[in-house]
Amino acid sequence: MFRTNHRRRLPHGHRISREVAVSRANIRRKGVNFAFLSSDYKLLLLLIFTVTGILAGSFLVRGIGGESAQIGNAFNRFLERRAGQGFPDVFLSSLFTFLMLLTSAYFTGLFVPGVPVSCAIMFYRGLGFGVVAGGLYCEYGLKGALFSFLILSPGFFVSVFLLLLACREAFTFSAMLFSALAPAFKPRPLWEDFKLYNKRFLFLLSVTVAAALLDALVTLVFFGLFKF
């Protein structure tokens, strides 16, 4: 009399897992690449190197004597040079610094040993900021820390964010080159990957201009608040 449904009802958790598996299979059939999901660990690794560089720079300043006259003299020369610069000069100076970092990351990705070099770039970037910020704090105390926070930190964090993305791309493409050249892996054409690599760096280049404008604007607004 009654038609019965012979399909077995799955528990709620199994239904969700099955739906997720089916949706992922459909996405794969449509040609979507899931490689970006594995890029999180690269960003995390590069961020760890950056933070390690900041800490190493801070401890390095303390180890060599953060209150030495050399730090104060170097910072005074920086203040005198920056005070005599207008907005275009600060913008061009920041843009040049950002472009040097971006260019170094780009060419790092074109070499097989680019994976450790990209990590070294992030460590070096963090090391430089740690030395400067730690030296200002040791020499000028709270005023030096506030100067680092208001003047140096905005441009640093924006540049680090862009450099993290750039070094992640360099990390990935360098690993592709290694896989293509290693005898244990099957050779694969990299022309399409190389075009995508260039497109992403062109996008980062355009954002770098905005980052340099932000750095120059922050300097223009807050620089006059400090008298050392």
Side-chain angles (χ1 to χ4, degrees), residues 199-221:
K199 288 179 181 179
R200 288 174 174 173
F201 267 90
L202 285 175
F203 171 76
L204 292 175
L205 178 62
S206 64
V207 181
T208 298
V209 177
L213 285 172
L214 175 63
D215 188 40
L217 181 62
V218 168
T219 302
L220 182 67
V221 172

Side-chain angles (χ1 to χ4, degrees), residues 3 13 25 38 44 78 89 95 109 150 155 164 170 173 228:
R3 298 181 63 182
S38 63
L44 179 61
F78 166 77
D89 296 324
L95 183 62
L150 290 177
L164 278 172
F173 196 74
F228 291 93

Side-chain angles (χ1 to χ4, degrees), residues 188-206:
R188 50 168 293 187
L190 295 178
W191 177 242
E192 294 298 327
D193 297 298
F194 180 64
K195 289 195 294 184
L196 181 60
Y197 182 76
N198 287 314
K199 288 179 181 179
R200 288 174 174 173
F201 267 90
L202 285 175
F203 171 76
L204 292 175
L205 178 62
S206 64

Side-chain angles (χ1 to χ4, degrees), residues 49-109:
F49 272 93
T50 307
V51 175
T52 303
I54 295 174
L55 296 176
S58 301
F59 286 114
L60 178 64
V61 170
R62 289 190 176 187
I64 64 175
E67 298 180 359
S68 64
Q70 294 181 355
I71 296 177
N73 293 334
F75 182 62
N76 288 329
R77 289 194 298 269
F78 166 77
L79 289 178
E80 292 174 359
R81 184 173 65 253
R82 185 56 63 92
Q85 292 178 331
F87 182 86
D89 296 324
V90 178
F91 166 72
L92 292 176
S93 177
S94 299
L95 183 62
F96 177 76
T97 302
F98 294 164
L99 287 179
M100 288 292 293
L101 294 171
L102 194 65
T103 302
S104 63
Y106 175 82
F107 285 106
T108 294

Side-chain angles (χ1 to χ4, degrees), residues 17 45 64 101 125 132 134 143-144 149:
S17 300
L45 179 64
I64 64 175
L101 294 171
R125 182 62 175 146
V132 174
K143 184 184 290 188
F149 178 75

Side-chain angles (χ1 to χ4, degrees), residues 152-178:
L152 302 180
S153 293
F156 170 75
F157 285 117
V158 172
S159 67
V160 161
F161 176 73
L162 295 176
L163 195 59
L164 278 172
L165 298 179
C167 285
R168 182 189 64 178
E169 297 302 322
F171 190 112
T172 302
F173 196 74
S174 176
M176 289 181 181
L177 289 176
F178 176 80

